[in-house]
Structure formats: structure tokens, C-alpha cells
Amino acid sequence: MKILIIMPNWLGDIIISLSLIAKIKKEFPNSQVDILIRKNYADIAQFIPEIANTFIDEFSSNKSLSIKLLLKVRNTIKEQNYTHAFILPNSFKSALIPFLAKIPTRIGYLGEMRFIVLNKWIRLSKVLRDKLYLMADRYYYLSSLISQTATNNLNLTQRQNPKLLVNETTKESLVDKIYNQCFYGTIPKIDSFKFIISPGAAFGQAKQWPSKYYAKIIDYIIESGHQVFIVGSKQDIPVANELCSMLKNDNSALIKNLCGYTSLVELISLISICDFVICNDSGVMNVAAALDKKVVAIFGPTSPKHTPPMCRYNKVEQLSLECQPCFKRVCPLNHHNCMEHLPPERIIESINQFL
């Protein structure tokens, strides 16, 4: 059995989908599982041992409907002679390549007229949507369609949490890079807990806890004698700089702002050598959970019942407002109370519970 997984478009969803890949390899250990993924996330495959080969999805990531790119990716995939394809994004566009590559079994959820390009599908009815409210369960549930012998009464309690594996050699080399290349001796190595702070969220501003609150958290951590690394993408640089401008001046020696400076591989490796992660509902949250770190996750417009940090040690902080969850990128009521009214003292309490 040779299987292609069309991976989701967001880092968090990619991590969440690993439960499906683990299920496939457990049920069919001799199968080959490859992925088709956007270029900016392709390097994540080196932390997923179940994946054999990685192909870049130049077509789906392109905003235009480029026939040239479509045929290029189609030809590459067709040469591999896959028997099955799982299409995890919900768009029609994402299902075109396995259809045109004539992969015999094409599995996914219905939507956007996808009944044309899928031949094994699940209609996400309201009843099923409620049953599969957890996003990881939605991906995992698709494994029930992989073969005629697979059961449709899939036991969701057997689903494993997503896992990323970072080898020790990578960790050691990253420690050297962090302290020698990135910091140029400006931050000392100390024998203490290391915290990751991720103040951004790719989904939108509504998911971001205020910078002034993150600054108070960082001051508290530093004054407790621990190191802090601020991480994020290039688009998170403004919020990270704003946060750093609010810190107490004498706390700068034990903090480093790495927003926009780490590749995906470096980010995952950095999280792997740290102890605690404090973040919004974001891709970093899911990476930290897949590395089984202690996670304090701050939720506002989204729901921890839908995309929680899936790890042993986690603490979700969220208010219980009538307007939650709205799942909007920008607060539709223009007050952002779900984040503005969540005080830093609650996050400090969660940190102390872990410490």
C-alpha cells in the first residue's frame, strides 16, 4: 500500500493531522506514507519518522490557478503510483492533484463540489460534526475509509496524541548555535528552566493576548531566575518588539527575542530543548504539545474543545464570556474582552503550578 497525504495549510493543523498518520502506520506497518505539503512547512517531515518522502505542493500554495504548476505537480505525483490519497484541506483545489494523477482511492470530507474528485468521502453532518468536534478526531476518523476491511466504527479513544521526534544530535548542535551564533555571548548559559514565549498567532489579531500582559509574565519569569526565548514568524516581529519595550530594563540579560530569526527546523529544535511554553492558540502551541512540553495556552476567540494543546502537561486559560468562541480573526464587537479581561495573574498561577 502506497499512500499520499495532502497536508493541511497551517502549521497547527499539520501537527494535529499526525494522529492520522500514526494510525495508518500502526494499522498498515508495511505501507509507505508520503506527504504533499507547502514549501514553508516541508522541513517538518524530518521530525516525523512515519513519513518516507516529501513533495512540495507548488500548485495549492499558489494564489492563481496555474495550469503549468498543476501539471508539474500532477506529473510528479503520478510517477509515484500511489494506491491511496488522503486530502486533508477542505478545498476543491487541494483535491485536484490526486484526481488528475489518477490515484485509485481518494479520501476526504465533502465540500466545494469535491464529490467530483473524491471517490471515498465523508459528509460532515451536524451529528458527526458534534461527535468530531476535536479537530484531531476529524483527521483520525478518515482512516476508517482506507480499506474495505477497516471499521467504520472507529474507536476515537485509541487515537494517539501527535508526536514530533527531535534527535539528540540536533538538540546539541542547536544549543551551540543558540549560545554561540545567535547570542554572540550576550546571554549566559544558566542551569534553570527555559521558557518559550510566543505572543503571535497566524490566524489573526483576535487570538493574540495583549503585549502588556506578556511583558508582565516575562518579568516574573526572569525575576524567578529562568531564561526566556521569544519566538515567532517575521509577521510577529512588531508585537514582539512592542512586548520587549515594556520589560524592565534590568531583566534583558536573560531574554532573547528570536522572532523572525529561526527557521521551522530551528524553531522546533529550540522548543525541544526548553521546558515550558506560554502562547496563544497557535502553531507553536501544537508544536510544543507534540514535543510533550509543559504548555500554558491562552484562548480567546477559539475553543480548546476544538484545538487544545494535546500533551500530558497543559493548562488552558480562557474566560467564559457569552461571545466566546466566535472564531473571528478580528473581534466583531470591537472590544476584545476575551483577551483584554484575562489577567496575567492567572497565567502566573498556572506557571507556579508547573514549577
Side-chain angles (χ1 to χ4, degrees):
M1 188 179 295
K2 198 172 181 182
I3 302 166
L4 178 69
I5 312 285
I6 314 296
M7 298 298 279
N9 299 324
W10 298 93
L11 177 59
D13 290 343
I14 290 170
I15 300 296
I16 292 170
S17 72
L18 300 187
S19 294
L20 167 65
I21 296 176
K23 167 65 175 174
I24 292 171
K25 287 297 290 185
K26 182 178 180 180
E27 188 170 352
F28 304 99
N30 296 323
S31 64
Q32 177 179 317
V33 178
D34 298 344
I35 61 171
L36 182 66
I37 191 170
R38 294 190 173 199
K39 184 178 181 179
N40 53 327
Y41 296 130
D43 288 340
I44 199 172
Q46 66 183 268
F47 303 109
I48 309 169
E50 295 91 348
I51 293 174
N53 299 296
T54 301
F55 298 97
I56 304 302
D57 189 355
E58 298 177 78
F59 172 67
S60 296
S61 59
N62 193 286
K63 293 183 179 180
S64 64
L65 192 64
S66 171
I67 302 300
K68 182 179 179 180
L69 285 178
L70 172 61
L71 295 178
K72 178 183 177 182
V73 180
R74 188 279 309 268
N75 292 340
T76 300
I77 296 305
K78 190 174 182 179
E79 291 172 357
Q80 307 303 313
N81 296 315
Y82 291 108
T83 59
H84 296 72
F86 285 84
I87 300 92
L88 303 189
N90 291 323
S91 67
F92 181 87
K93 188 178 182 181
S94 63
L96 264 179
I97 290 171
F99 172 73
L100 295 176
K102 297 183 179 180
I103 298 176
T105 304
R106 302 178 300 277
I107 298 169
Y109 285 102
L110 283 187
E112 289 196 7
M113 303 288 287
R114 279 157 54 111
F115 63 86
I116 298 172
V117 289
L118 302 178
N119 56 13
K120 276 198 173 184
W121 44 263
I122 297 174
R123 188 185 300 277
L124 203 57
S125 64
K126 186 181 184 308
V127 172
L128 189 57
R129 190 182 299 272
D130 291 342
K131 177 183 178 182
L132 304 176
Y133 192 73
L134 196 66
M135 194 64 194
D137 286 343
R138 292 189 185 178
Y139 291 138
Y140 185 76
Y141 195 73
L142 287 172
S143 66
S144 65
L145 299 184
I146 193 170
S147 70
Q148 297 295 332
T149 58
T151 176
N152 287 323
N153 297 316
L154 194 64
N155 187 350
L156 296 176
T157 63
Q158 295 179 352
R159 176 189 45 74
Q160 299 177 4
N161 286 341
K163 296 293 180 187
L164 293 172
L165 296 179
V166 182
N167 64 56
E168 292 302 317
T169 301
T170 301
K171 290 183 182 181
E172 291 174 5
S173 64
L174 184 80
V175 170
D176 291 338
K177 180 174 182 178
I178 286 175
Y179 289 102
N180 298 329
Q181 297 181 30
C182 293
F183 297 159
Y184 305 104
T186 61
I187 181 169
K189 288 185 181 180
I190 64 173
D191 186 18
S192 71
F193 291 118
K194 297 176 178 61
F195 284 77
I196 292 284
I197 299 290
S198 180
F203 179 78
Q205 182 182 2
K207 290 174 69 174
Q208 295 182 0
W209 199 46
S211 298
K212 59 185 177 182
Y213 294 161
Y214 270 117
K216 290 184 178 181
I217 296 300
I218 293 177
D219 280 332
Y220 175 81
I221 293 170
I222 296 299
E223 289 167 2
S224 299
H226 308 300
Q227 289 185 321
V228 172
F229 304 109
I230 303 175
V231 301
S233 65
K234 290 182 179 179
Q235 71 182 39
D236 298 322
I237 291 176
V239 68
N241 289 342
E242 179 186 36
L243 185 165
C244 290
S245 70
M246 300 175 179
L247 296 172
K248 297 178 182 178
N249 290 332
D250 55 352
N251 285 337
S252 60
L254 290 176
I255 184 172
K256 189 65 178 181
N257 179 7
L258 294 176
C259 268
Y261 292 100
T262 54
S263 66
L264 179 59
V265 170
E266 291 168 341
L267 173 63
I268 293 173
S269 301
L270 175 61
I271 294 174
S272 76
I273 65 170
C274 291
D275 305 287
F276 298 84
V277 176
I278 302 170
C279 56
N280 308 311
D281 174 19
S282 62
V284 168
M285 178 194 77
N286 290 285
V287 168
L291 292 169
D292 206 26
K293 298 300 172 180
K294 296 177 176 65
V295 179
V296 179
I298 303 167
F299 279 75
T302 53
S303 172
K305 294 180 180 179
H306 186 56
T307 54
M310 300 172 67
C311 53
R312 290 180 296 168
Y313 308 108
N314 71 79
K315 178 70 174 175
V316 170
E317 290 294 350
Q318 185 183 42
L319 298 175
S320 299
L321 305 182
E322 290 184 0
C323 56
Q324 288 177 280
C326 69
F327 295 103
K328 301 295 184 182
R329 292 178 180 268
V330 178
C331 177
L333 302 178
N334 297 317
H335 55 54
H336 207 205
N337 286 346
C338 62
M339 287 301 205
E340 290 287 347
H341 290 179
L342 182 60
E345 288 75 19
R346 281 184 50 171
I347 282 68
I348 290 173
E349 183 180 350
S350 292
I351 293 171
N352 287 333
Q353 288 176 3
F354 281 140
L355 289 175

